[in-house]
Amino acid sequence: MATTRHAYTVWEGDLLKGKGVVTLESSRIGSYDVSWPARSEAANGKTSPEELIAAAHSSCFSMALSHGLAGAGTPPTRLKTKADVTFQPGEGITGIHLTVEGEVPGLDNDGFVAAAEDAKKNCPVSQALTGTTITLSAKLA
């Protein structure tokens, strides 16, 4: 069964001096302030589209990697994934780097790296972001 999730943003003002609030409507877990300075300079307690993409990518990748490892008979005990989304004003998102460290009993580092590469290539968020260079660092804990 397909699912659809919802979020919305209310923006007031122009790009440089304006501000907005993004609301995660489906989960109802919160509303978060957004602004151009939070996107292009320091976050200062506000979020950005890139941070939200990083959250989506790190969680999707972790799910895909966990599924792939379990399917291969080596389910992970723990995966810790960080996604770094780089935004360059005037250019846009210039790259995403995933860093994952895993605890996977019965699997060597080469096998873990191969599984992580497969998850990077095949997780739905990676596939949605194919216009962006995605790199990966993976190792066992």
Side-chain angles (χ1 to χ4, degrees), residues 67-94:
H67 181 67
L69 290 167
T74 54
T77 303
R78 182 173 188 266
L79 298 171
K80 181 178 178 184
T81 304
K82 180 180 180 186
D84 298 309
V85 177
T86 302
F87 174 75
Q88 177 64 46
E91 291 181 47
I93 294 173
T94 58

PDB file of all heavy atoms in Angstrom, residues 67-94:
ATOM      1  N   HIS A  67      17.857  -3.561   6.270  1.00  0.00           N
ATOM      2  CA  HIS A  67      17.096  -4.559   5.517  1.00  0.00           C
ATOM      3  C   HIS A  67      18.023  -5.447   4.684  1.00  0.00           C
ATOM      4  O   HIS A  67      17.868  -6.671   4.667  1.00  0.00           O
ATOM      5  CB  HIS A  67      16.067  -3.860   4.629  1.00  0.00           C
ATOM      6  CG  HIS A  67      15.218  -4.786   3.837  1.00  0.00           C
ATOM      7  ND1 HIS A  67      14.297  -5.630   4.409  1.00  0.00           N
ATOM      8  CD2 HIS A  67      15.160  -5.022   2.495  1.00  0.00           C
ATOM      9  CE1 HIS A  67      13.705  -6.349   3.470  1.00  0.00           C
ATOM     10  NE2 HIS A  67      14.210  -5.992   2.303  1.00  0.00           N
ATOM     11  N   GLY A  68      18.968  -4.823   3.997  1.00  0.00           N
ATOM     12  CA  GLY A  68      19.897  -5.600   3.183  1.00  0.00           C
ATOM     13  C   GLY A  68      20.759  -6.537   4.011  1.00  0.00           C
ATOM     14  O   GLY A  68      20.983  -7.691   3.630  1.00  0.00           O
ATOM     15  N   LEU A  69      21.246  -6.056   5.135  1.00  0.00           N
ATOM     16  CA  LEU A  69      22.073  -6.899   6.010  1.00  0.00           C
ATOM     17  C   LEU A  69      21.271  -8.063   6.569  1.00  0.00           C
ATOM     18  O   LEU A  69      21.752  -9.208   6.589  1.00  0.00           O
ATOM     19  CB  LEU A  69      22.664  -6.058   7.143  1.00  0.00           C
ATOM     20  CG  LEU A  69      23.740  -5.059   6.737  1.00  0.00           C
ATOM     21  CD1 LEU A  69      24.013  -4.069   7.866  1.00  0.00           C
ATOM     22  CD2 LEU A  69      25.020  -5.765   6.306  1.00  0.00           C
ATOM     23  N   ALA A  70      20.048  -7.798   7.007  1.00  0.00           N
ATOM     24  CA  ALA A  70      19.205  -8.871   7.539  1.00  0.00           C
ATOM     25  C   ALA A  70      18.881  -9.894   6.458  1.00  0.00           C
ATOM     26  O   ALA A  70      18.900 -11.105   6.712  1.00  0.00           O
ATOM     27  CB  ALA A  70      17.916  -8.289   8.130  1.00  0.00           C
ATOM     28  N   GLY A  71      18.620  -9.419   5.255  1.00  0.00           N
ATOM     29  CA  GLY A  71      18.328 -10.322   4.148  1.00  0.00           C
ATOM     30  C   GLY A  71      19.499 -11.214   3.787  1.00  0.00           C
ATOM     31  O   GLY A  71      19.325 -12.316   3.266  1.00  0.00           O
ATOM     32  N   ALA A  72      20.713 -10.740   4.066  1.00  0.00           N
ATOM     33  CA  ALA A  72      21.921 -11.529   3.802  1.00  0.00           C
ATOM     34  C   ALA A  72      22.288 -12.427   4.986  1.00  0.00           C
ATOM     35  O   ALA A  72      23.321 -13.092   4.961  1.00  0.00           O
ATOM     36  CB  ALA A  72      23.088 -10.588   3.482  1.00  0.00           C
ATOM     37  N   GLY A  73      21.460 -12.421   6.032  1.00  0.00           N
ATOM     38  CA  GLY A  73      21.709 -13.286   7.178  1.00  0.00           C
ATOM     39  C   GLY A  73      22.611 -12.683   8.243  1.00  0.00           C
ATOM     40  O   GLY A  73      23.048 -13.391   9.157  1.00  0.00           O
ATOM     41  N   THR A  74      22.911 -11.390   8.131  1.00  0.00           N
ATOM     42  CA  THR A  74      23.751 -10.708   9.124  1.00  0.00           C
ATOM     43  C   THR A  74      23.058  -9.434   9.599  1.00  0.00           C
ATOM     44  O   THR A  74      23.494  -8.319   9.276  1.00  0.00           O
ATOM     45  CB  THR A  74      25.138 -10.374   8.539  1.00  0.00           C
ATOM     46  OG1 THR A  74      24.958  -9.637   7.313  1.00  0.00           O
ATOM     47  CG2 THR A  74      25.962 -11.614   8.279  1.00  0.00           C
ATOM     48  N   PRO A  75      21.993  -9.573  10.369  1.00  0.00           N
ATOM     49  CA  PRO A  75      21.277  -8.378  10.816  1.00  0.00           C
ATOM     50  C   PRO A  75      22.168  -7.517  11.717  1.00  0.00           C
ATOM     51  O   PRO A  75      22.941  -8.052  12.516  1.00  0.00           O
ATOM     52  CB  PRO A  75      20.075  -8.933  11.584  1.00  0.00           C
ATOM     53  CG  PRO A  75      20.461 -10.320  11.964  1.00  0.00           C
ATOM     54  CD  PRO A  75      21.403 -10.802  10.902  1.00  0.00           C
ATOM     55  N   PRO A  76      22.068  -6.217  11.593  1.00  0.00           N
ATOM     56  CA  PRO A  76      22.898  -5.345  12.415  1.00  0.00           C
ATOM     57  C   PRO A  76      22.365  -5.252  13.845  1.00  0.00           C
ATOM     58  O   PRO A  76      21.167  -5.345  14.078  1.00  0.00           O
ATOM     59  CB  PRO A  76      22.785  -3.986  11.726  1.00  0.00           C
ATOM     60  CG  PRO A  76      21.427  -4.009  11.104  1.00  0.00           C
ATOM     61  CD  PRO A  76      21.217  -5.440  10.677  1.00  0.00           C
ATOM     62  N   THR A  77      23.293  -5.065  14.764  1.00  0.00           N
ATOM     63  CA  THR A  77      22.917  -4.747  16.136  1.00  0.00           C
ATOM     64  C   THR A  77      22.629  -3.259  16.238  1.00  0.00           C
ATOM     65  O   THR A  77      21.702  -2.837  16.919  1.00  0.00           O
ATOM     66  CB  THR A  77      24.065  -5.118  17.097  1.00  0.00           C
ATOM     67  OG1 THR A  77      24.360  -6.505  16.935  1.00  0.00           O
ATOM     68  CG2 THR A  77      23.708  -4.839  18.540  1.00  0.00           C
ATOM     69  N   ARG A  78      23.453  -2.483  15.516  1.00  0.00           N
ATOM     70  CA  ARG A  78      23.314  -1.019  15.579  1.00  0.00           C
ATOM     71  C   ARG A  78      23.943  -0.403  14.343  1.00  0.00           C
ATOM     72  O   ARG A  78      25.008  -0.837  13.892  1.00  0.00           O
ATOM     73  CB  ARG A  78      24.029  -0.506  16.822  1.00  0.00           C
ATOM     74  CG  ARG A  78      23.925   0.984  17.044  1.00  0.00           C
ATOM     75  CD  ARG A  78      24.534   1.339  18.419  1.00  0.00           C
ATOM     76  NE  ARG A  78      24.296   2.706  18.769  1.00  0.00           N
ATOM     77  CZ  ARG A  78      25.134   3.705  18.529  1.00  0.00           C
ATOM     78  NH1 ARG A  78      26.290   3.477  17.945  1.00  0.00           N
ATOM     79  NH2 ARG A  78      24.839   4.938  18.885  1.00  0.00           N
ATOM     80  N   LEU A  79      23.291   0.629  13.808  1.00  0.00           N
ATOM     81  CA  LEU A  79      23.838   1.441  12.720  1.00  0.00           C
ATOM     82  C   LEU A  79      23.742   2.900  13.145  1.00  0.00           C
ATOM     83  O   LEU A  79      22.715   3.327  13.652  1.00  0.00           O
ATOM     84  CB  LEU A  79      23.040   1.253  11.427  1.00  0.00           C
ATOM     85  CG  LEU A  79      23.005  -0.144  10.831  1.00  0.00           C
ATOM     86  CD1 LEU A  79      22.006  -0.200   9.679  1.00  0.00           C
ATOM     87  CD2 LEU A  79      24.394  -0.573  10.375  1.00  0.00           C
ATOM     88  N   LYS A  80      24.808   3.641  12.934  1.00  0.00           N
ATOM     89  CA  LYS A  80      24.783   5.082  13.197  1.00  0.00           C
ATOM     90  C   LYS A  80      25.152   5.772  11.895  1.00  0.00           C
ATOM     91  O   LYS A  80      26.272   5.638  11.406  1.00  0.00           O
ATOM     92  CB  LYS A  80      25.768   5.464  14.294  1.00  0.00           C
ATOM     93  CG  LYS A  80      25.728   6.954  14.603  1.00  0.00           C
ATOM     94  CD  LYS A  80      26.686   7.314  15.728  1.00  0.00           C
ATOM     95  CE  LYS A  80      26.652   8.812  15.971  1.00  0.00           C
ATOM     96  NZ  LYS A  80      27.627   9.201  16.995  1.00  0.00           N
ATOM     97  N   THR A  81      24.205   6.505  11.329  1.00  0.00           N
ATOM     98  CA  THR A  81      24.396   7.149  10.031  1.00  0.00           C
ATOM     99  C   THR A  81      24.276   8.652  10.166  1.00  0.00           C
ATOM    100  O   THR A  81      23.327   9.157  10.765  1.00  0.00           O
ATOM    101  CB  THR A  81      23.347   6.647   9.015  1.00  0.00           C
ATOM    102  OG1 THR A  81      23.411   5.230   8.925  1.00  0.00           O
ATOM    103  CG2 THR A  81      23.575   7.268   7.652  1.00  0.00           C
ATOM    104  N   LYS A  82      25.225   9.350   9.568  1.00  0.00           N
ATOM    105  CA  LYS A  82      25.188  10.809   9.496  1.00  0.00           C
ATOM    106  C   LYS A  82      25.135  11.187   8.023  1.00  0.00           C
ATOM    107  O   LYS A  82      25.842  10.601   7.197  1.00  0.00           O
ATOM    108  CB  LYS A  82      26.435  11.399  10.140  1.00  0.00           C
ATOM    109  CG  LYS A  82      26.478  12.910  10.094  1.00  0.00           C
ATOM    110  CD  LYS A  82      27.756  13.435  10.754  1.00  0.00           C
ATOM    111  CE  LYS A  82      27.788  14.946  10.691  1.00  0.00           C
ATOM    112  NZ  LYS A  82      29.057  15.480  11.183  1.00  0.00           N
ATOM    113  N   ALA A  83      24.301  12.153   7.687  1.00  0.00           N
ATOM    114  CA  ALA A  83      24.244  12.677   6.324  1.00  0.00           C
ATOM    115  C   ALA A  83      24.632  14.145   6.373  1.00  0.00           C
ATOM    116  O   ALA A  83      24.063  14.919   7.144  1.00  0.00           O
ATOM    117  CB  ALA A  83      22.845  12.523   5.737  1.00  0.00           C
ATOM    118  N   ASP A  84      25.619  14.517   5.584  1.00  0.00           N
ATOM    119  CA  ASP A  84      26.058  15.904   5.452  1.00  0.00           C
ATOM    120  C   ASP A  84      25.612  16.402   4.083  1.00  0.00           C
ATOM    121  O   ASP A  84      26.094  15.907   3.059  1.00  0.00           O
ATOM    122  CB  ASP A  84      27.580  16.016   5.567  1.00  0.00           C
ATOM    123  CG  ASP A  84      28.095  15.568   6.916  1.00  0.00           C
ATOM    124  OD1 ASP A  84      27.572  16.056   7.939  1.00  0.00           O
ATOM    125  OD2 ASP A  84      29.009  14.727   6.954  1.00  0.00           O
ATOM    126  N   VAL A  85      24.693  17.354   4.067  1.00  0.00           N
ATOM    127  CA  VAL A  85      24.180  17.929   2.824  1.00  0.00           C
ATOM    128  C   VAL A  85      24.812  19.312   2.671  1.00  0.00           C
ATOM    129  O   VAL A  85      24.637  20.168   3.535  1.00  0.00           O
ATOM    130  CB  VAL A  85      22.643  18.025   2.841  1.00  0.00           C
ATOM    131  CG1 VAL A  85      22.130  18.687   1.567  1.00  0.00           C
ATOM    132  CG2 VAL A  85      22.027  16.633   3.010  1.00  0.00           C
ATOM    133  N   THR A  86      25.558  19.505   1.588  1.00  0.00           N
ATOM    134  CA  THR A  86      26.249  20.767   1.358  1.00  0.00           C
ATOM    135  C   THR A  86      25.429  21.647   0.422  1.00  0.00           C
ATOM    136  O   THR A  86      25.025  21.217  -0.658  1.00  0.00           O
ATOM    137  CB  THR A  86      27.644  20.516   0.750  1.00  0.00           C
ATOM    138  OG1 THR A  86      28.380  19.675   1.651  1.00  0.00           O
ATOM    139  CG2 THR A  86      28.395  21.817   0.544  1.00  0.00           C
ATOM    140  N   PHE A  87      25.205  22.882   0.877  1.00  0.00           N
ATOM    141  CA  PHE A  87      24.457  23.876   0.100  1.00  0.00           C
ATOM    142  C   PHE A  87      25.371  25.051  -0.191  1.00  0.00           C
ATOM    143  O   PHE A  87      25.994  25.600   0.710  1.00  0.00           O
ATOM    144  CB  PHE A  87      23.238  24.355   0.899  1.00  0.00           C
ATOM    145  CG  PHE A  87      22.490  25.480   0.235  1.00  0.00           C
ATOM    146  CD1 PHE A  87      21.679  25.251  -0.857  1.00  0.00           C
ATOM    147  CD2 PHE A  87      22.611  26.782   0.703  1.00  0.00           C
ATOM    148  CE1 PHE A  87      20.982  26.285  -1.468  1.00  0.00           C
ATOM    149  CE2 PHE A  87      21.920  27.827   0.100  1.00  0.00           C
ATOM    150  CZ  PHE A  87      21.105  27.572  -0.991  1.00  0.00           C
ATOM    151  N   GLN A  88      25.464  25.420  -1.462  1.00  0.00           N
ATOM    152  CA  GLN A  88      26.251  26.572  -1.886  1.00  0.00           C
ATOM    153  C   GLN A  88      25.301  27.606  -2.470  1.00  0.00           C
ATOM    154  O   GLN A  88      24.687  27.349  -3.508  1.00  0.00           O
ATOM    155  CB  GLN A  88      27.291  26.154  -2.931  1.00  0.00           C
ATOM    156  CG  GLN A  88      28.120  27.289  -3.480  1.00  0.00           C
ATOM    157  CD  GLN A  88      28.987  27.943  -2.414  1.00  0.00           C
ATOM    158  OE1 GLN A  88      29.633  27.274  -1.638  1.00  0.00           O
ATOM    159  NE2 GLN A  88      28.984  29.256  -2.375  1.00  0.00           N
ATOM    160  N   PRO A  89      25.135  28.771  -1.785  1.00  0.00           N
ATOM    161  CA  PRO A  89      24.258  29.798  -2.359  1.00  0.00           C
ATOM    162  C   PRO A  89      24.651  30.124  -3.801  1.00  0.00           C
ATOM    163  O   PRO A  89      25.825  30.244  -4.123  1.00  0.00           O
ATOM    164  CB  PRO A  89      24.482  30.999  -1.433  1.00  0.00           C
ATOM    165  CG  PRO A  89      24.851  30.385  -0.114  1.00  0.00           C
ATOM    166  CD  PRO A  89      25.709  29.196  -0.504  1.00  0.00           C
ATOM    167  N   GLY A  90      23.676  30.206  -4.645  1.00  0.00           N
ATOM    168  CA  GLY A  90      23.905  30.474  -6.057  1.00  0.00           C
ATOM    169  C   GLY A  90      24.081  29.215  -6.888  1.00  0.00           C
ATOM    170  O   GLY A  90      23.955  29.256  -8.104  1.00  0.00           O
ATOM    171  N   GLU A  91      24.397  28.092  -6.238  1.00  0.00           N
ATOM    172  CA  GLU A  91      24.568  26.812  -6.940  1.00  0.00           C
ATOM    173  C   GLU A  91      23.530  25.784  -6.519  1.00  0.00           C
ATOM    174  O   GLU A  91      23.104  24.974  -7.313  1.00  0.00           O
ATOM    175  CB  GLU A  91      25.958  26.235  -6.672  1.00  0.00           C
ATOM    176  CG  GLU A  91      27.101  27.004  -7.304  1.00  0.00           C
ATOM    177  CD  GLU A  91      28.434  26.355  -7.012  1.00  0.00           C
ATOM    178  OE1 GLU A  91      28.550  25.120  -7.169  1.00  0.00           O
ATOM    179  OE2 GLU A  91      29.355  27.077  -6.594  1.00  0.00           O
ATOM    180  N   GLY A  92      23.182  25.769  -5.250  1.00  0.00           N
ATOM    181  CA  GLY A  92      22.238  24.783  -4.733  1.00  0.00           C
ATOM    182  C   GLY A  92      22.952  23.705  -3.938  1.00  0.00           C
ATOM    183  O   GLY A  92      24.040  23.924  -3.406  1.00  0.00           O
ATOM    184  N   ILE A  93      22.329  22.556  -3.871  1.00  0.00           N
ATOM    185  CA  ILE A  93      22.923  21.423  -3.151  1.00  0.00           C
ATOM    186  C   ILE A  93      24.025  20.843  -4.031  1.00  0.00           C
ATOM    187  O   ILE A  93      23.771  20.429  -5.160  1.00  0.00           O
ATOM    188  CB  ILE A  93      21.855  20.371  -2.809  1.00  0.00           C
ATOM    189  CG1 ILE A  93      20.857  20.969  -1.817  1.00  0.00           C
ATOM    190  CG2 ILE A  93      22.497  19.104  -2.240  1.00  0.00           C
ATOM    191  CD1 ILE A  93      19.659  20.100  -1.524  1.00  0.00           C
ATOM    192  N   THR A  94      25.229  20.853  -3.498  1.00  0.00           N
ATOM    193  CA  THR A  94      26.385  20.424  -4.293  1.00  0.00           C
ATOM    194  C   THR A  94      26.874  19.022  -3.945  1.00  0.00           C
ATOM    195  O   THR A  94      27.748  18.500  -4.622  1.00  0.00           O
ATOM    196  CB  THR A  94      27.549  21.419  -4.125  1.00  0.00           C
ATOM    197  OG1 THR A  94      27.890  21.511  -2.736  1.00  0.00           O
ATOM    198  CG2 THR A  94      27.160  22.798  -4.654  1.00  0.00           C
TER     199      THR A  94
END
